[in-house]
Amino acid sequence: MTVLAPRTVDELERILADSPDHTILSGGTDLMVEVNLHGRRPTAIVSLRSVEELHAWTFDHERVTIGAAVPYATMEVGELAGLVPALAQAARTVGSPQIRAAGTLGGNLGTCSPAGDGLPVLSALEATVHIRGNGDRRDVPFADFMVGVKRNALRAGEFVHSVSIPRVDGWQGYAKVGTRNAMVIANASTCLVRDRSAGRVRVALGAVGPTILRCPEAESWLAANSDLRGNTPPSADVRAEFSRLVSQASRPIDDHRSTAEYRRHAVGVLARRLLERSYQ
Amino acid sequence: MSTPSGIGSENYSLTVNGRSHDVKDSWIGESLLYVLRERLGLPGAKGACEQGECGSCTVVVDGRAVCSCLVLAASVVDTSIVTVEGLGDGGRLSDVQQAFLDCGGVQCGFCTPGFIVAVHHLLESVPDPDDHQIREALSGNICSCTGYGRILEAVQQVAVARRSK
Ligand SMILES: Cc1cc2nc3c(=O)[nH]c(=O)nc-3n(C[C@H](O)[C@H](O)[C@H](O)COP(=O)(O)OP(=O)(O)OC[C@H]3O[C@@H](n4cnc5c(N)ncnc54)[C@H](O)[C@@H]3O)c2cc1C
Ligand code: FES
Ligand code: FES
């Protein structure tokens, strides 16, 4: 049998160490499209379906830790949604109910598409990716995990075990632009976190660059020019300048889904709207 | 999907609609949709896009409604799979199937099995769905014929009938 179904993380690790050519299968929503339509021919597969530890999530005062094989359906409602609202919002925009019942964060990170909806949330919340493999554990900040279009920091024999997301005292939200509501890959997306106790805002952009982009200039300019700790919304002028700085941080391209110009404009608008929502 | 020569001959069994089925000499990459239709003689789930976009292949695996075209068949050996064939009651139509007929929710019929599975699954988890919940639950199923109005009507009709039971 060439489809292996380990039950523990240790077994999974051993399989990948012995034969790193095993393709990891989580929800299959990216991998099976490759197999069905793009001629991908895996020769050996290791499925995460029975690795219980990867299907679990936990939290404490500091952080929420989500196993790589937790499906979007679990993130979009209930307790987890309350703990990480931006992730819940992002999860609700993924594909359709059938896709969200299967698709996982581990798969989003494995594919590492710039349009992956989970990724801007992990970026803005400064999540850590917990990696296992080859008898080792590595904790990699999301910013160092995604290294290019569909490229990540995983080495042969490694897999994503979980991600941990620091809990923030403040507001967080995710917004995405696409051609319709259901079943749409982002043309542009934005996650904004307003950390009240730190007096900071963090903005991450999806589908407007080779990786998820942060907006350091817009973030520090806004912190210097508005009251991020309190309840007084920034003025219209400040919001407009913030929006412009966010657009400036994007590095979009023209492709079959949209134009660079539209995308640059869209992320600025999304960031401004999210900022406004953070005061409502 | 053709079996690439030389590689893979998987033997395993799947539990579909409560019955165990042996699958012999299949290629490792075969989707559940393909195995159901081509190997097990269960053509209820339909294949159109094979990329998760149309929902015509919807089945339930361990209580979750998923696109069978995106499920690797050999990875669901220890699960319980329900297809549209498993929903009627000994050759009789299920209440959802009957309501689709009564309301005119079936035209060419290609999308129907996927909708029927998705609706059964919805009403099991949310017995009293509002219009928004119905639309959301069916947003992964595409129908090119009916314009959806009659399908939504059928779902509401079943929900009401089940409540008054
Ligand atoms: C119809 C449709 C609509 C979609 N819409 C969206 C959308 O709106 N937004 C979005 O972001 N995505 C979308 N996707 C893409 C896909 O659903 C997501 O990227 C999803 O997160 C993939 O997760 P999965 O578990 O299904 O991954 P899989 O297909 O199982 O795996 C994807 C890749 O990651 C690797 N992998 C999986 N788990 C791990 C792990 N733990 N460690 C290391 N590598 C791993 C696999 O080997 C594979 O290369 C859509 C897909 C379809 C088919
Ligand atoms: S054939 Fe599976 S979703 Fe279209
Ligand atoms: S009845 Fe023809 S596609 Fe729905």
Side-chain angles (χ1 to χ4, degrees), chain B residues 104-112 115 142-148 151:
Chain B
V106 181
Q107 285 183 25
C108 81
F110 193 87
C111 69
T112 311
F115 270 100
I142 290 177
C143 174
S144 327
C145 301
T146 64
Y148 302 101
I151 290 176

Side-chain angles (χ1 to χ4, degrees), chain A residues 268-280:
Chain A
V269 172
L270 293 176
R272 178 171 50 73
R273 282 189 197 155
L274 289 168
L275 178 67
E276 288 162 1
R277 274 181 219 161
S278 84
Y279 284 90
Q280 280 160 12

